[in-house]
C-alpha cells in the first residue's frame, strides 16, 4: 500500500515522539515500507547540535538505532531552515517531495483555541502535502 | 544508511575548532505555556530584561523632570569626558578590521572550512544595510552635509579662548569650495568606515563563536575566551540583559522619533494633522507590519522587506542623480572620496584638537550611538553571514556599505548644497531636520511622487529595524535558541511598539534615548575585549588547519 513513510522528528524533544514513532514502525512492518526520519535544523547552534554537520550525524545515528531496534529499513533526511520557528512547515513540505514519501506520520498536540488562528505543523502539512498524512495525537 | 549529501546541508562542514564546554544550549531555559501560548525562555534573562524595561519606563513617566535632568546631564557628560576614548577606540576597530583583511586569518570561513553561504550577495547586503543604518540615511542624508558645510563656511568663532562654532577641524571660513569638501569629508567620516567597523567587530565575534565554536548565538558567547564558563552564570546574564536593554530602548526611542518625523513629512505633503493621534496610528501601523514580517520569519518577511526597501532606495537615489545636477554630483562623489581620504587622519585624531563642539557633539555622540546599536545590528548581521570567509565578511560589512554611504551623501547632500550655492535656495538650509529631505525634493521634478516614496522608505526602514530587532531580542532572551515559539517574538514586537507609544504620550523619549547612548560607554570596553576574543578564536582556527 505505502512504500515510503516519512516521519518528522524533533530530536530535542524525543520523549514526546514515542507515539508517532511506534505507529510509524507498525505501519512500516505491516506494508514492508521503509521509514525516512526528517529533522529540521537551523545553521545556528541549538540544543540538539552545534552545527548542521553534527545534526546530520546525530539524525543518522538515530535512524540507524531505530532501524536496528525495530527491524525495518530506515533513512535520515536532515533539512535546513534559516528561521525554524516559522519555516519548519515549508522545510517539511519540501522534504515530502525530496524523500518521495507516500505517507507522512507525524506527532501533533491536541488542538485548542489557538489552532483556529495558528494551525499546528501537522495541520499545515496535512493541508498542503501531496502524500497521505496521518496525524498522531497525544 | 543515511543519505545526507543530497540535501541542502553543507556536509561535511569541514574543519572548525569547537569549544568544548559542559554548557548545553537551552539548559537554563524554561519551557512552559501561558494560557494557550507555548514559551521557551531563558531564565532569568527574559524576566529581568522585561521587568527592568517596565521599571525604567515607569521611572521616565512618574519622575519625568528628574529623569530628563539626569539623563540630559549624563549624555553630554559622557561624550565630552570620554571623547578621546571613543575616538581612539573607533580607530582601533577600523585598524583591526583592515588588519584582518590582510592577515592569514582572512581565509577562515565562518561555519567551518567547507561551509557555503546561506544567502546570496544581494539578499545578504540588503539585510545588513537595512538593519545597520537605513533610517539614518533618510534623515541625515541631506541635513548633515548641509550642517557641516555651513558651519565650516561660517569659520571659527571664539569666546573666552574656547571655540563656540560647530565647524570640524580648522573650518574653511569664506572658502565655499573648501567648505563643501570639509563638510562632505566630515559627514562621510561619521557614516563610513568607523561605524561599519564597529558593527563588523560585534558581528564577527558572534558569528565566529557560534558557527565555528558551537556556542549559543547570544552576546555572552563572545566572552567565553575571557570569562570561561562564568559566562553561563551571572556575568553572562548581565551582558545579555544589557544588550536587550540597549536594543529595545534604542528601537523604541527611534520608533517614537521616527513617527514624529514621518508625521511631519505627511503634514507637508498631505496636510495630515501633526499630533499624538497621528503618531500613535503611525507607530501602530509600523508595528503591525513588523508583526506580519516577524511571524512570516527571516526569509519570508525580513529578507523580502529589506530587498524591497533596497530597491526603492536605489530608485530614489537614481532619480535624484539623474534629474538633479548629475555632473556636479558625480564629480562630487569623487571629490568627497578624496576629501574623506585627505581629512581622515585629522578627523580621527583623538588628541590635541580645538574643535570641541564638533568632536564631542557630533563625532563622540555618533560613536556612542553606533556602539550602543552594535549588539543589535551585530547579532543580526551574524545571523545571516554564515558561510562567508572572514576576509569576504569584512570587505562586505566594512567597505561596501561605506562606499554606498559616500554615494548616498554625495547625491542627497551634494544636490542640496548645489541648490543652496547655485540657486540661493535657502529653505533646504533653514528647514527643521525632519523636513530637509522633502525641501530638497521639492526643488526637483515630480516632487509629490518622490516625497511620497521618501515617506514610504522611512516607514519601511522602520519596519525592517523593528522586525530584525524583535528577532534579535527574542533570540537573546531564549538563550540563543532560534526555534523558540512564535508568540515570544510577537510579544517583543508588540512590547517595543507599546513602549514607544507610552513614552511618546507620557514624555521621556529624549531621556531614554540619552540613556541608550550612555550605554555606549560600557559597550566600548566590551567591544575592545571582543577584538581580543576574536584574535584568540581565529588563532585556534588557523592553528588547527
Amino acid at each position: 500500500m505505502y512504500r515510503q513513510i516519512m516521519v518528522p522528528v524533533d530530536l530535542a524533544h524525543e520523549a514526546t515522539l514515542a507515539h508517532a514513532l511506534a505507529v510509524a514502525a507498525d505501519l512500516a512492518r505491516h506494508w514492508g515500507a521503509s521509514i525516512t526520519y526528517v529533522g529540521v535544523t537551523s545553521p545556528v547552534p541549538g540544543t540538539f547540535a552545534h552545527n548542521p554537520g553534527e545534526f546530520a550525524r546525530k539524525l543518522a545515528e538515530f535512524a540507524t538505532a531505530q532501524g536496528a531496534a525495530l527491524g525495518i529499513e530506515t533513512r535520515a533526511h536532515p533539512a535546513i531552515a534559516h528561521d525554524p520557528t516559522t519555516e519548519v512547515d515549508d522545510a517539511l513540505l519540501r522534504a515530502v517531495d525530496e524523500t518521495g514519501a507516500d505517507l507522512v506520520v507525524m506527532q501533533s498536540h491536541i488542538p485548542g483555541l489557538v489552532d483556529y488562528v495558528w494551525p499546528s505543523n501537522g495541520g499545515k502539512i496535512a493541508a498542503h502535502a501531496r502524500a497521505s498524512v496521518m496525524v498522531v495525537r497525544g | 544508511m543515511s543519505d545526507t549529501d543530497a540535501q541542502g546541508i553543507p556536509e561535511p562542514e569541514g574543519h572548525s575548532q569547537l569549544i568544548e564546554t559542559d554548557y548545553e544550549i537551552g539548559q537554563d531555559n524554561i519551557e512552559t505555556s501561558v494560557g494557550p501560548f507555548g514559551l521557551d525562555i531563558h531564565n532569568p534573562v527574559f524576566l529581568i530584561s522585561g521587568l527592568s524595561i517596565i521599571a525604567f519606563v515607569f521611572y521616565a513617566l512618574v519622575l519625568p523632570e528628574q529623569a530628563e535632568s539626569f539623563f540630559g546631564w549624563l549624555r553630554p557628560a559622557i561624550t565630552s569626558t570620554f571623547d578621546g576614548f571613543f575616538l581612539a577606540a573607533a580607530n582601533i576597530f577600523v585598524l583591526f578590521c583592515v588588519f584582518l583583511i590582510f592577515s592569514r586569518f582572512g581565509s577562515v570561513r565562518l561555519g567551518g572550512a567547507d561551509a557555503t553561504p546561506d544567502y546570496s550577495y544581494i539578499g545578504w547586503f540588503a539585510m545588513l544595510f537595512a538593519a545597520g543604518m537605513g533610517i539614518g540615511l533618510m534623515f541625515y542624508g541631506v541635513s548633515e552635509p548641509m550642517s557641516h558645510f555651513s558651519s565650516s563656511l561660517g569659520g571659527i568663532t571664539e569666546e573666552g579662548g574656547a571655540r563656540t562654532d560647530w565647524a570640524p577641524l580648522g573650518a574653511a571660513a569664506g572658502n565655499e569650495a573648501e567648505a563643501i569638501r570639509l563638510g562632505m569629508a566630515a559627514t562621510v567620516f561619521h557614516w563610513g568606515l568607523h561605524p561599519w567597523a564597529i558593527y563588523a567587530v560585534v558581528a564577527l565575534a558572534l558569528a565566529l563563536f557560534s558557527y565555528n565554536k558551537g556556542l549559543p548565538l547570544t552576546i555572552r558567547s563572545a566572552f567565553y575566551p575571557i570569562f570561561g564558563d562564568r559566562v553561563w552564570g551571572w556575568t553572562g546574564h548581565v551582558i545579555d540583559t544589557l544588550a536587550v536593554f540597549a536594543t529595545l530602548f534604542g528601537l523604541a526611542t527611534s520608533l517614537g522619533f521616527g513617527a514624529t518625523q514621518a508625521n511631519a513629512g505627511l503634514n507637508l505633503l498631505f496636510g495630515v494633522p501633526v499630533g499624538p493621534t497621528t503618531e500613535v496610528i503611525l507607530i501602530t501601523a509600523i508595528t503591525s507590519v513588523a508583526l506580519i514580517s516577524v511571524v512570516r520569519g527571516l526569509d519570508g518577511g525580513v529578507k523580502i522587506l529589506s530587498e524591497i526597501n533596497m530597491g526603492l532606495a536605489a530608485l530614489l537615489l537614481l532619480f535624484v542623480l539623474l534629474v538633479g545636477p548629475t555632473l556636479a554630483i558625480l564629480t562630487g562623489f569623487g571629490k568627497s572620496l578624496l576629501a574623506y581620504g585627505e581629512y581622515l587622519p585629522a578627523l580621527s585624531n583623538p588628541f590635541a584638537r580645538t574643535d570641541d563642539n564638533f568632536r564631542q557633539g557630533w563625532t563622540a555622540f555618533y560613536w556612542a550611538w553606533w556602539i550602543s546599536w552594535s549588539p543589535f545590528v551585530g547579532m543580526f548581521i551574524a545571523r545571516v553571514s554564515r558561510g562567508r570567509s572572514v576576509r569576504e565578511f569584512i570587505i562586505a560589512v566594512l567597505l561596501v556599505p561605506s562606499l554606498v554611504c559616500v554615494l548616498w551623501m554625495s547625491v542627497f547632500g551634494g544636490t542640496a548644497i548645489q541648490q543652496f550655492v547655485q540657486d540661493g535656495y535657502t529653505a533646504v538650509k533653514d528647514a527643521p531636520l525632519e523636513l530637509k529631505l522633502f525641501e530638497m525634493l521639492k526643488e526637483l521634478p515630480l516632487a509629490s511622487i518622490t516625497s511620497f516614496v521618501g515617506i514610504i522608505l522611512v516607514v519601511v526602514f522602520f519596519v525592517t529595524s523593528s522586525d530584525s530587532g524583535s528577532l534579535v531580542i527574542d533570540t537573546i532572551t531564549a538563550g540563543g535558541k532560534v526555534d523558540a515559539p512564535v508568540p515570544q517574538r510577537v510579544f517583543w514586537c508588540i512590547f517595543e511598539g507599546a513602549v514607544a507609544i507610552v513614552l511618546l504620550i507620557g514624555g521621556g523619549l529624549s531621556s531614554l534615548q540619552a540613556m541608550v547612548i550612555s550605554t555606549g560607554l560600557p559597550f566600548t570596553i566590551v567591544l575592545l575585549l571582543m577584538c581580543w576574543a576574536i584574535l584568540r578564536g581565529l588563532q585556534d582556527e588557523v592553528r588547527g588547519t
Side-chain angles (χ1 to χ4, degrees):
Chain A
M1 183 86 189
Y2 293 110
R3 312 296 322 155
Q4 276 288 345
I5 302 176
M6 167 178 143
V7 182
V9 288
D10 173 6
L11 293 181
H13 298 98
E14 201 184 321
T16 61
L17 296 171
H19 201 174
L21 291 176
V23 169
D26 276 352
L27 293 176
R29 271 194 294 264
H30 180 74
W31 286 308
S34 66
I35 295 185
T36 306
Y37 297 99
V38 175
V40 179
T41 185
S42 112
V44 174
T47 308
F48 179 68
H50 295 98
N51 53 54
E54 185 186 338
F55 183 88
R57 221 164 31 245
K58 284 184 158 179
L59 187 67
E61 283 164 16
F62 171 82
T64 313
Q66 288 284 320
L70 303 168
I72 44 176
E73 193 187 331
T74 58
R75 268 187 293 274
H77 181 103
I80 205 160
H82 295 138
D83 186 6
T85 303
T86 55
E87 290 160 11
V88 84
D89 304 329
D90 296 326
L92 289 179
L93 284 171
R94 275 197 306 275
V96 174
D97 292 335
E98 285 163 5
T99 58
D102 43 20
L103 174 66
V104 179
V105 176
M106 69 188 292
Q107 188 83 36
S108 188
H109 59 268
I110 294 165
L113 198 58
V114 182
D115 291 270
Y116 284 98
V117 223
W118 227 313
S120 62
N121 295 327
K124 183 151 175 215
I125 305 300
H128 296 284
R130 270 206 297 255
S132 307
V133 177
M134 177 173 180
V135 180
V136 180
R137 301 277 190 224
Chain B
M1 287 285 260
S2 71
D3 56 348
T4 52
D5 39 11
Q7 288 77 54
I9 291 196
E11 160 76 4
E13 287 295 291
H15 169 80
S16 80
Q17 294 281 312
L18 284 178
I19 287 181
E20 296 301 332
T21 155
D22 292 336
Y23 184 79
E24 296 248 341
I25 296 168
Q27 72 172 33
D28 293 332
N29 281 29
I30 301 177
E31 284 188 55
T32 178
S33 50
V34 176
F37 301 113
L39 291 180
D40 184 356
I41 55 178
H42 186 274
N43 178 34
V45 170
F46 185 95
L47 263 185
I48 296 182
S49 356
L51 290 178
S52 50
I53 286 164
I54 294 174
F56 266 84
V57 170
F58 263 106
Y59 171 59
L61 288 181
V62 176
L63 297 168
E65 276 134 40
Q66 195 196 344
E68 213 162 312
S69 68
F70 176 67
F71 290 116
W73 162 83
L74 184 66
R75 188 189 61 69
I78 285 180
T79 48
S80 54
T81 313
F82 297 98
D83 57 327
F85 176 62
F86 279 120
L87 263 73
N91 293 342
I92 291 175
F93 302 140
V94 175
L95 293 175
F96 179 66
C97 287
V98 173
F99 158 74
L100 286 182
I101 294 179
F102 294 106
S103 75
R104 66 206 165 103
F105 300 136
S107 50
V108 171
R109 195 164 284 279
L110 299 170
D114 301 332
T116 47
D118 288 343
Y119 291 98
S120 70
Y121 275 112
I122 291 186
W124 183 42
F125 185 67
M127 283 193 281
L128 62 93
F129 207 77
M133 49 178 52
I135 190 65
L137 288 176
M138 296 304 298
F139 286 110
Y140 293 100
V142 168
S143 69
E144 193 171 344
M146 205 69 207
S147 303
H148 296 325
F149 159 71
S150 43
S151 63
S152 299
L153 194 63
I156 295 174
T157 51
E158 283 189 348
E159 207 179 283
R163 275 176 63 171
T164 52
D165 62 280
W166 285 76
L169 302 174
N175 184 345
E176 209 165 71
E178 196 53 33
I180 295 179
R181 275 170 46 79
L182 184 56
M184 291 308 295
T187 309
V188 172
F189 174 56
H190 291 152
W191 294 83
L193 296 174
H194 287 75
W196 290 98
I198 290 168
Y199 291 160
V201 165
V202 180
L204 182 59
L206 295 173
L208 182 68
F209 284 96
S210 41
Y211 297 133
N212 294 47
K213 312 291 181 188
L215 301 183
L217 184 67
T218 81
I219 309 290
R220 65 174 84 192
S221 296
F223 294 89
Y224 191 83
I226 296 164
F227 298 114
D229 280 317
R230 267 174 299 171
V231 294
W232 312 127
W234 277 98
T235 315
H237 300 340
V238 170
I239 295 172
D240 280 354
T241 305
L242 252 180
V244 172
F245 219 71
T247 305
L248 192 122
F249 278 131
L251 284 169
T253 49
S254 306
L255 199 57
F257 286 120
T260 324
Q261 289 160 328
N263 193 352
L266 284 173
N267 175 268
L268 187 81
L269 215 56
F270 303 112
V272 174
V274 174
T277 317
T278 318
E279 286 157 16
V280 169
I281 293 174
L282 273 169
I283 294 182
T284 312
I286 291 172
T287 306
S288 311
V289 181
L291 209 55
I292 297 173
S293 168
V294 289
V295 170
R296 286 183 53 87
L298 193 53
D299 288 4
V302 183
K303 176 165 157 267
I304 292 177
L305 273 181
S306 300
E307 285 174 350
I308 292 176
N309 222 8
M310 207 53 186
L312 269 181
L315 276 181
L316 189 63
L317 184 92
L318 207 65
F319 175 81
V320 175
L321 178 67
L322 291 179
V323 304
T326 313
L327 201 64
I329 293 173
L330 285 178
T331 52
F333 173 66
K335 282 184 194 161
S336 303
L337 263 182
L338 286 176
Y340 177 48
E342 183 189 325
Y343 282 112
L344 187 61
L347 285 168
S348 54
N349 169 25
F351 308 110
R353 283 170 60 173
T354 56
D355 54 352
D356 288 351
N357 281 338
F358 173 79
R359 194 180 69 251
Q360 296 168 350
W362 281 98
T363 308
F365 173 84
Y366 263 124
W367 284 188
W369 176 246
W370 298 132
I371 288 170
S372 67
W373 274 76
S374 63
F376 150 48
V377 181
M379 185 144 153
F380 186 72
I381 295 179
R383 177 89 184 258
V384 296
S385 300
R386 198 188 72 103
R388 305 283 172 188
S389 74
V390 169
R391 187 169 293 123
E392 199 180 5
F393 175 88
I394 304 264
I395 289 174
V397 178
L398 187 68
L399 298 183
V400 178
S402 298
L403 273 178
V404 173
C405 284
V406 181
L407 182 65
W408 185 274
M409 294 295 176
S410 307
V411 171
F412 285 78
T415 305
I417 292 177
Q418 284 294 323
Q419 288 173 344
F420 174 69
V421 173
Q422 301 287 327
D423 318 331
Y425 178 58
T426 51
V428 73
K429 179 166 164 284
D430 303 330
L433 179 73
E434 63 265 31
L435 290 179
K436 281 193 165 127
L437 171 71
F438 302 113
E439 292 291 352
M440 186 273 283
L441 291 174
K442 218 157 122 184
E443 283 297 284
L444 301 175
L446 303 175
S448 50
I449 299 178
T450 53
S451 303
F452 186 65
V453 172
I455 293 177
I456 298 279
L457 266 176
V458 170
V459 170
V460 185
F461 268 128
F462 267 111
V463 173
T464 50
S465 298
S466 174
D467 58 9
S468 44
S470 306
L471 282 185
V472 165
I473 297 179
D474 179 39
T475 308
I476 299 178
T477 55
K481 288 179 85 166
V482 292
D483 55 355
V486 179
Q488 259 160 270
R489 54 174 76 172
V490 170
F491 165 76
W492 285 113
C493 192
I494 294 176
F495 194 51
E496 184 190 295
V499 170
I501 289 176
V502 168
L503 292 174
L504 189 72
I505 297 175
L509 270 179
S510 30
S511 39
L512 281 173
Q513 195 188 35
M515 193 193 70
V516 170
I517 293 169
S518 311
T519 61
L521 184 63
F523 269 121
T524 308
I525 301 165
V526 162
L527 259 67
L528 287 169
L529 292 175
M530 270 186 184
C531 290
W532 187 73
I534 290 174
L535 272 186
R536 285 285 307 272
L538 285 174
Q539 271 166 356
D540 282 351
E541 293 292 307
V542 171
R543 199 175 297 138
T545 46

